[in-house]
Amino acid sequence: MDGVRVGKRNIGADAPVTIGWENVGRVQGGRVKRFIFTWFQPAMLFALVAFWYYAPNSIATASTAIGIGIGFKALLLALEWVNPRYDSWRLTWKELVVDLFYVSLGYTFLAVIERYIGSDAVIDAIQHQFDWDKLVWFLGLPLLVQAFLISFIFDFGQYWMHRGMHNWYPLWLTHSVHHYITQLNINKGAVGNPVELFLIGLGIGGFFDFLPRAALLAGSIGLAVATYQHINVRFDTPRWWRYLFNTTEHHSLHHSQDYEATRSNYAGTYIFIDRMFGTCVDGEAELLGMEGGRRMSIREQMTYPFTEAWKTMKARFGKGQPDQPELVPAE
Ligand SMILES: [Zn+2]
Ligand SMILES: [Zn+2]
């Protein structure tokens, strides 16, 4: 792999990363503590899946999902307080303000999408123009298999979209803002330029109105793992778990200041997709971000893709022979 291009200057060449699970940090403390921080992630996921599997229809609604999501996040926030992975990632007011801005932006975005999908025209299109008979085989599968397939298909799409973002300059511009974060915590998944939100949505492959229950199950698996992925908690992750799922350790490498290390672990949920395509790297990193960990203001996060694109275009087409690196990073 050669070719940084998207600003070799951006990459702190000597930022240390840890490679290999045997070198990743362990939970410090007594037996009970180690037990809790080994089994918390699987137990919570299992509880969520069991809930959505068995809950009667009257309870299995989007508002219940939002309520559970808030409770889940509150619990994880407490864990970050009690057992942080790195003290340097502890939440500050400055970080919290940025996080809350993006979390509310995300909810607003979701509300708009939901209104669109709930509109008469779209419902009509789903009911009349979509050939439901083609899905009969799918709806005949066991619920958990349906849920797994939905989340796998979504994640497969998102893997390639994310990998594309790291390999094609115009897409990279939208995603780069997310890589300027300098710490991980449960809300950091929401931080990035809004254009990226839209593209990730596309990568997910459009919206299919599958069996709602299977979709709720798939959504809760995807969201739980995505939240774990940015969490600042030290876990002793079971081996099978880190083989299947993307973890905060994997994702910290992806966010590290080491360029080579960032070109790994693209999946949102299932790290085995990275293992399939040879992009998985097991390990972790503490020093995160771009340009040696330069923090961006919200204003810059909003405008950066556009101002950078403008600068690049001016350099390329403006002055004949620009002193400009190639734009598309090679794989
Ligand atoms: Zn990325
Ligand atoms: Zn991230």
Side-chain angles (χ1 to χ4, degrees):
M1 287 199 265
D2 62 324
V4 172
R5 274 71 78 121
V6 187
K8 204 153 211 152
R9 65 191 181 282
N10 287 351
I11 287 106
D14 297 315
V17 291
T18 304
I19 305 293
W21 273 111
E22 61 284 3
N23 303 316
V24 164
R26 308 283 297 171
V27 174
Q28 304 298 315
R31 253 210 176 138
V32 176
K33 186 177 172 189
R34 289 207 312 270
F35 181 83
I36 290 173
F37 286 95
T38 301
W39 296 108
F40 179 87
Q41 294 181 94
M44 282 305 290
L45 185 70
F46 185 78
L48 280 172
V49 168
F51 175 81
W52 290 114
Y53 191 86
Y54 290 111
N57 284 333
S58 56
I59 301 177
T61 59
S63 50
T64 307
I66 291 171
I68 289 180
I70 291 170
F72 186 52
K73 279 204 164 179
L75 181 61
L76 296 178
L77 212 59
L79 288 191
E80 286 189 336
W81 189 256
V82 174
N83 191 31
R85 199 163 131 221
Y86 296 119
D87 274 323
S88 64
W89 291 1
R90 274 194 187 277
L91 203 52
T92 60
W93 284 108
K94 218 171 159 185
E95 293 289 340
L96 185 64
V97 168
V98 174
D99 297 351
L100 290 180
F101 173 81
Y102 281 99
V103 170
S104 27
L105 195 71
Y107 277 118
T108 312
F109 186 77
L110 271 183
V112 172
I113 296 272
E114 211 177 285
R115 190 167 307 163
Y116 170 75
I117 286 175
S119 74
D120 293 343
V122 176
I123 287 177
D124 186 66
I126 289 171
Q127 279 172 349
H128 298 291
Q129 289 166 32
F130 190 74
D131 189 358
W132 284 98
D133 291 344
K134 281 184 188 153
L135 273 184
V136 165
W137 67 272
F138 183 83
L139 299 177
L141 295 170
L143 193 55
L144 284 178
V145 177
Q146 288 181 38
F148 169 75
L149 284 176
I150 293 172
S151 67
F152 178 77
I153 291 165
F154 279 16
D155 203 37
F156 196 80
Q158 113 102 48
Y159 170 88
W160 286 105
M161 175 57 85
H162 188 192
R163 195 163 158 181
M165 285 171 163
H166 280 262
N167 285 283
W168 192 47
Y169 185 67
L171 283 180
W172 165 252
L173 282 181
T174 71
H175 180 53
S176 60
V177 171
H178 179 61
H179 276 269
Y180 272 88
I181 61 174
T182 55
Q183 59 159 249
L184 298 185
N185 68 53
I186 54 164
N187 291 316
K188 283 291 187 240
V191 177
N193 189 274
V195 178
E196 189 195 1
L197 272 183
F198 175 74
L199 288 171
I200 291 272
L202 274 187
I204 277 168
F207 239 89
F208 295 97
D209 204 359
F210 289 113
L211 235 200
R213 188 61 73 103
L216 279 171
L217 275 162
S220 65
I221 295 170
L223 284 176
V225 176
T227 311
Y228 290 154
Q229 208 177 299
H230 286 95
I231 202 173
N232 179 25
V233 172
R234 173 59 72 197
F235 289 114
D236 284 344
T237 316
R239 184 187 290 266
W240 60 269
W241 177 279
R242 66 198 192 210
Y243 191 83
L244 278 180
F245 295 115
N246 201 343
T247 64
T248 177
E249 289 85 3
H250 288 120
H251 201 57
S252 67
L253 270 186
H254 182 77
H255 273 282
S256 73
Q257 293 179 18
D258 181 275
Y259 177 76
E260 289 301 324
T262 63
R263 304 179 64 72
S264 67
N265 307 341
Y266 296 113
T269 307
Y270 299 113
I271 196 74
F272 68 77
I273 299 178
D274 280 280
R275 296 191 193 280
M276 275 160 58
F277 294 108
T279 48
C280 178
V281 178
D282 294 309
E284 67 175 350
E286 179 174 6
L287 289 176
L288 310 185
M290 306 284 292
E291 299 177 47
R294 179 173 76 80
R295 258 182 115 260
M296 268 187 184
S297 65
I298 292 177
R299 180 197 288 263
E300 193 184 355
Q301 286 167 333
M302 288 293 147
T303 56
Y304 182 82
F306 309 106
T307 55
E308 276 298 296
W310 176 244
K311 263 193 229 161
T312 306
M313 262 163 42
K314 245 177 32 187
R316 259 213 151 171
F317 304 115
K319 288 188 187 142
Q321 281 306 328
D323 171 31
Q324 182 66 17
E326 269 176 74
L327 294 178
V328 182
E331 198 143 345

